[in-house]
C-alpha cells in the first residue's frame, strides 16, 4: 500500500474552515487507497504570538522553556485536525513529537533530529488511521521537548517521509510552488516546475522561507522527492528533486535575508589562534555564524567581520567582548541594519562572469556592497537594509529569472530511485531510523 506524507503550514490551518479543508485533502488521499501521515504546523501566526508572549515576560527567556512554550502551538492544531477528520467520519490519531519518538539533540530552539521510531506510526496506519504528527518538535535524551527552528515542520515532514519510505511528500503552503524569488517581495518572480536539492538548500539557507533548509538536507540524503503546492488550489506545484530546471543557466533563483547583523572586531593581533578565541566563544553559545571576512593584516593587526542572525546579535556581542578582553586588544563595532542578497544556481559552477554580472547590476543601481561571500553555487552580498529590495530586483532582472529557460529539462514523475537502494532497504527494515 502506498504512503503519502502531507504537510500543512500555518496559513493552511489558520482557522477552522482551513483545518477542515486540509482534513478533506487527507481524506481524499486516504479514499484513493493511500496511507496518510499529515504533518501540521501551528495555526496562522500562533508561533509568533507565543514568542511575543514570552518577550512580554523577559528578553532573555531560557531556551528550554521557549521550546516548552512553542511546541504547544502544534499541539493545538494536531488535535483540532484529528477532530476535523473524526467529524468527517474517518479515523485519525494526533501525536506529538515525543509520542512519535522523534529524538533530537539538546540544542533547544534549533534542535536536529537524530532518530525516529516507526513502530507506533506503522501500527496506527495499519489500523486504518490517518496519523497527524505535530510538526517542528521532538524530545532530547532527557525527554525535554525541543523544537527544530522556525519553519521546522517541513523537516518533520521530510524526515517522516524518509523513515516511512513514503511514495510522496507533499508540502501544502500559501503559494503555488517554488518561485525564482519570494513572489510576495517581487511580483515578477516566476514559479519553477522543478529545482534541484542543492539549489533549494542554498536558497532556503539564504532566506527563501518556503522550505526549511534542513528539510532539504534530509531530502537530498535520502532521495525524497518533495512536491511543493498550494493548499488553496489544485495547481500542479513545483518539484524539488535531484536535477535542476535547466542545465545551461548560471542562476536559478535569488533570495534575501531580512534579519541579519554584522559584527566587526577591529585591530586584533594577527597570529595563530585569534580567530579560534573569538569563534569558539560564539560557538559555545550555539550562534550560527554566516559570512566571515578577514582583511590582510597591517602592522601585525587584522580586522574580522562576520554576520549572525539579528536576534542573536546581543549574545554574540557578549561572546566577542569576552574574546577581546582575553586578547587584551581589539575594538568591536556592529550594525543590525543590513540584509544579505544572494543568487544561486548549479550552472555558475562552470560559467564565468556571474559575479561580474551581479556586481554590474548592483553598481547600476548605485548599491554599495559591504561584504561578499561565495560558494560554488552561490554569490551573496551584504547591503544596507533599505537597498535590499532594489538589489534583489536588479539581480533578478540581470539574470532574466522571470523568463523560462530556453532549454528547460522535462519534469519526470518523482521516483525514489535516486536514493541509495541499500540505504532505503535498511531503513525500511529498522523500527528506529537514525540520521
Ligand atoms: P508555511 O506556513 O506553509 O510553511 P511559509 O510562510 O513558511 O509557509 O513559506 C511560504 C512563504 O515563503 C510564501 O508565502 C512566500 O512568501 C515565501 N517565499 C520565500 N521565498 C520563496 C520562493 N523562492 N518561492 C516561494 N515562496 C517563497
Ligand atoms: N510553527 C513553527 C513556525 O512558525 C514551525 C512551522 O510552521 O514550520 O516556525
Ligand atoms: Mg514554512
Amino acid at each position: 500500500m502506498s504512503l503519502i506524507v502531507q504537510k500543512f503550514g500555518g496559513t493552511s490551518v489558520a482557522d477552522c474552515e482551513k483545518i477542515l479543508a486540509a482534513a478533506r485533502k487527507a481524506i481524499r488521499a486516504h479514499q484513493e487507497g493511500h496511507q496518510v501521515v499529515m504533518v501540521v504546523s501551528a495555526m496562522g501566526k500562533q508561533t509568533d504570538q507565543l514568542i511575543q508572549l514570552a518577550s512580554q515576560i523577559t528578553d532573555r527567556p531560557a531556551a528550554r522553556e521557549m521550546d516548552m512554550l512553542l511546541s504547544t502551538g502544534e499541539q493545538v492544531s494536531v488535535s483540532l485536525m484529528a477532530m476535523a477528520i473524526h467529524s468527517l467520519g474517518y479515523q485519525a490519531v494526533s501525536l506529538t513529537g515525543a509520542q512519535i519518538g522523534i529524538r533530537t539533540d539538546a540544542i533547544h530552539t534549533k534542535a536536529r533530529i537524530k532518530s525516529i521510531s516507526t513502530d507506533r506510526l506503522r501500527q496506527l496506519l495499519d489500523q486504518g488511521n490517518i496519523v497527524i504528527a505535530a510538526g517542528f518538535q521532538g524530545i532530547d535524551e532527557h525527554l525535554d521537548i525541543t523544537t527544530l527552528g522556525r519553519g521546522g515542520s517541513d523537516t518533520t515532514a521530510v524526515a517522516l517521509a524518509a523513515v516511512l519510505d513514503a511514495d510522496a511528500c507533499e508540502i501544502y503552503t500559501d503559494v503555488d510552488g517554488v518561485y525564482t524569488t519570494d513572489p510576495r517581495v517581487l511580483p515578477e518572480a516566476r514559479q519553477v516546475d522543478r529545482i534541484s536539492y542543492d539549489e533549494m538548500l542554498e536558497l532556503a539557507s539564504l532566506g527563501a522561507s518556503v522550505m526549511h533548509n534542513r528539510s532539504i538536507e534530509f531530502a537530498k540524503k535520502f532521495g525524497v522527492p518533495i512536491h511543493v503546492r498550494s493548499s488553496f488550489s489544485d495547481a500542479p506545484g513545483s518539484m524539488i528533486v535531484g536535477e535542476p530546471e535547466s542545465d545551461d543557466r548560471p542562476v536559478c533563483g535569488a533570495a534575501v535575508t531580512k534579519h541579519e547583523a554584522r559584527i566587526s572586531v577591529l585591530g586584533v593581533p594577527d597570529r595563530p589562534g585569534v580567530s579560534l578565541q573569538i569563534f569558539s566563544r560564539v560557538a559555545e553559545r550555539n550562534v550560527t555564524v554566516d559570512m566571515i571576512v578577514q582583511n590582510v593584516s597591517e602592522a601585525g593587526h587584522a580586522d574580522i567581520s562576520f554576520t549572525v542572525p539579528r536576534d542573536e546579535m546581543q549574545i554574540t556581542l557578549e561572546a566577542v567582548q569576552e574574546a577581546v578582553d582575553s586578547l587584551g586588544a581589539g575594538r568591536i563595532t556592529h550594525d543590525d541594519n543590513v540584509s544579505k542578497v544572494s543568487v544561486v544556481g548549479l550552472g555558475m559552477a562552470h560559467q564565468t562572469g556571474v559575479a561580474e554580472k551581479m556586481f554590474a547590476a548592483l553598481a547600476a543601481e548605485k548599491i554599495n556592497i559591504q561584504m561578499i561571500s561565495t560558494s560554488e553555487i552561490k554569490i551573496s552580498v551584504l547591503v544596507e537594509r533599505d537597498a535590499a529590495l532594489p538589489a534583489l530586483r536588479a539581480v533578478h532582472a540581470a539574470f532574466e529569472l522571470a523568463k523560462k529557460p530556453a532549454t528547460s529539462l522535462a519534469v519526470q514523475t518523482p521516483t525514489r530511485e535516486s536514493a541509495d537502494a541499500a540505504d532505503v532497504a535498511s531503513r525500511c527494515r529498522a523500527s528506529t531510523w537514525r540520521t
Side-chain angles (χ1 to χ4, degrees):
M1 195 174 197
S2 68
L3 192 152
I4 294 183
V5 174
Q6 296 185 328
K7 179 252 167 179
F8 293 87
T11 28
S12 310
V13 292
D15 55 39
C16 293
E17 250 167 54
K18 292 194 172 109
I19 289 179
L20 279 161
R24 284 192 200 97
K25 274 199 199 295
I27 289 171
R28 203 196 312 159
H30 184 78
Q31 284 170 332
E32 284 165 5
H34 307 290
Q35 292 190 322
V36 182
V37 175
M38 298 176 87
V39 174
V40 183
S41 292
M43 293 171 70
K45 300 245 170 273
Q46 180 74 42
T47 310
D48 292 331
Q49 283 156 10
L50 292 169
I51 292 171
Q52 176 61 29
L53 261 184
S55 75
Q56 288 173 31
I57 303 272
T58 168
D59 55 6
R60 299 288 294 269
R64 179 190 180 280
E65 304 310 328
M66 259 336 254
D67 278 353
M68 197 70 152
L69 177 68
L70 297 190
S71 60
T72 61
E74 271 70 12
Q75 204 168 323
V76 170
S77 56
V78 286
S79 51
L80 291 175
M81 186 65 76
M83 292 176 201
I85 293 174
H86 296 162
S87 74
L88 295 167
Y90 288 81
Q91 274 173 248
V93 177
S94 67
L95 296 172
T96 63
Q99 286 172 319
I100 297 170
I102 299 183
R103 295 276 178 171
T104 70
D105 61 23
I107 315 284
H108 285 286
T109 76
K110 46 187 160 186
R112 278 181 182 266
I113 297 176
K114 290 168 75 177
S115 68
I116 300 179
S117 0
T118 53
D119 287 347
R120 186 152 184 208
L121 285 171
R122 290 232 180 258
Q123 205 179 15
L124 288 167
L125 289 169
D126 290 343
Q127 288 164 359
N129 293 289
I130 294 175
V131 175
I132 306 157
F136 166 66
Q137 55 179 261
I139 41 164
D140 70 9
E141 58 177 338
H142 307 294
L143 307 184
D144 284 333
I145 296 175
T146 53
T147 63
L148 308 181
R150 296 305 307 273
S153 298
D154 298 328
T155 299
T156 308
V158 177
L160 288 178
V163 52
L164 294 166
D165 197 23
D167 297 274
C169 179
E170 299 179 328
I171 305 289
Y172 286 95
T173 185
D174 59 0
V175 283
D176 282 349
V178 177
Y179 284 68
T180 48
T181 195
D182 189 338
R184 297 187 197 286
V185 176
L186 276 197
E188 63 264 42
R190 176 180 58 88
Q191 192 200 326
V192 300
D193 297 334
R194 161 169 64 185
I195 185 165
S196 69
Y197 293 129
D198 290 319
E199 291 166 327
M200 192 66 236
L201 178 56
E202 284 285 3
L203 283 172
S205 308
L206 296 167
S209 52
V210 63
M211 290 299 298
H212 191 230
N213 58 354
R214 282 190 195 152
S215 70
I216 310 298
E217 288 172 14
F218 269 102
K220 182 179 175 190
K221 185 165 173 193
F222 297 106
V224 180
I226 300 175
H227 189 175
V228 181
R229 53 194 310 191
S230 168
S231 279
F232 311 124
S233 79
D234 283 328
S238 307
M239 293 304 304
I240 309 173
V241 287
E243 294 294 305
E245 185 184 38
S246 151
D247 265 350
D248 55 4
R249 270 208 161 172
V251 168
C252 73
V256 59
T257 53
K258 297 165 195 137
H259 308 289
E260 203 90 3
R262 175 192 53 78
I263 295 175
S264 297
V265 202
L266 310 174
V268 287
D270 187 25
R271 59 173 150 78
V274 168
S275 296
L276 177 67
Q277 292 244 26
I278 297 171
F279 291 106
S280 58
R281 287 182 168 85
V282 176
E284 269 167 24
R285 288 158 173 90
N286 295 317
V287 173
T288 329
V289 175
D290 184 20
M291 298 167 126
I292 305 179
V293 173
Q294 178 175 345
N295 66 343
V296 178
S297 79
E298 222 176 81
H301 285 86
D303 302 335
I304 300 174
S305 293
F306 59 97
T307 60
V308 294
R310 190 154 42 135
D311 58 2
E312 293 183 340
M313 186 178 77
Q314 280 313 329
I315 190 174
T316 312
L317 284 172
E318 286 169 23
V320 176
Q321 187 61 54
E322 227 178 79
V324 164
D325 291 347
S326 106
L327 289 165
R331 186 166 64 82
I332 306 170
T333 66
H334 64 271
D335 183 358
D336 64 359
N337 188 31
V338 287
S339 283
K340 185 175 54 178
V341 177
S342 311
V343 294
V344 168
L346 280 177
M348 77 173 73
H350 52 78
Q351 288 192 33
T352 55
V354 182
E356 187 202 343
K357 194 177 225 178
M358 180 172 187
F359 301 156
L362 297 172
E365 293 297 315
K366 301 197 168 24
I367 294 166
N368 188 41
I369 300 172
Q370 300 185 13
M371 284 169 86
I372 301 170
S373 75
T374 61
S375 78
E376 261 215 313
I377 65 161
K378 73 122 201 250
I379 304 172
S380 298
V381 295
L382 197 71
V383 298
E384 189 192 350
R385 182 156 303 122
D386 284 348
L389 180 56
L392 184 70
R393 179 163 289 129
V395 297
H396 196 270
F399 290 102
E400 300 185 344
L401 293 179
K403 268 199 217 153
K404 210 174 162 85
T407 56
S408 126
L409 302 167
V411 182
Q412 283 145 11
T413 321
T415 66
R416 299 294 306 274
E417 274 157 29
S418 53
D420 175 64
D423 184 32
V424 169
S426 71
R427 272 185 292 122
C428 296
R429 280 195 300 275
S431 61
T432 298
W433 169 88
R434 292 175 203 289
T435 59

